[in-house]
Amino acid sequence: MAHDKSLTISSRTAFFCALTALNVAIISFYVLWSIADSITVNRAEEHGFDPNQLLPHAIPLWFAAHASLLGLLALDVLVFMAWRRPRSQAE
């Protein structure tokens, strides 16, 4: 089966655009969560550490933010390793 080079190039472009969008979305989620968590912790400490001032479900949000960031890092490393692999091994 013959490979259409323009299809391959457009597929790679689409893949890297999707990966970039995923990076932006996950990093934005992490940054927004971090800002919100910092604000609520500071607000709780202003009131003599009132736990009612903290984010609801803060621990699952902490795990979700960090796990998504670590998963994204692993995906980026795998994509980079696959991209850097010599083309002779890919065939």
Side-chain angles (χ1 to χ4, degrees):
M1 180 175 183
H3 293 281
D4 185 5
K5 191 165 186 117
S6 65
L7 179 62
T8 303
I9 291 171
S10 66
S11 298
R12 284 186 183 167
T13 303
F15 174 75
F16 285 116
C17 286
L19 186 62
T20 301
L22 181 66
N23 273 286
V24 168
I26 290 178
I27 291 170
S28 297
F29 164 66
Y30 183 81
V31 168
L32 289 173
W33 167 82
S34 179
I35 291 169
D37 189 56
S38 296
I39 290 171
T40 57
V41 167
N42 290 338
R43 186 176 60 207
E45 288 176 353
E46 288 173 359
H47 294 96
F49 200 76
D50 181 12
N52 292 327
Q53 299 293 322
L54 296 174
L55 287 174
H57 310 293
I59 293 174
L61 278 172
W62 184 90
F63 279 115
H66 286 83
S68 62
L69 201 59
L70 287 174
L72 179 67
L73 178 64
L75 178 64
D76 286 344
V77 167
L78 289 173
V79 167
F80 180 75
M81 287 174 33
W83 178 69
R84 294 286 299 171
R85 184 175 57 183
R87 299 293 172 222
S88 60
Q89 291 179 357
E91 296 175 2

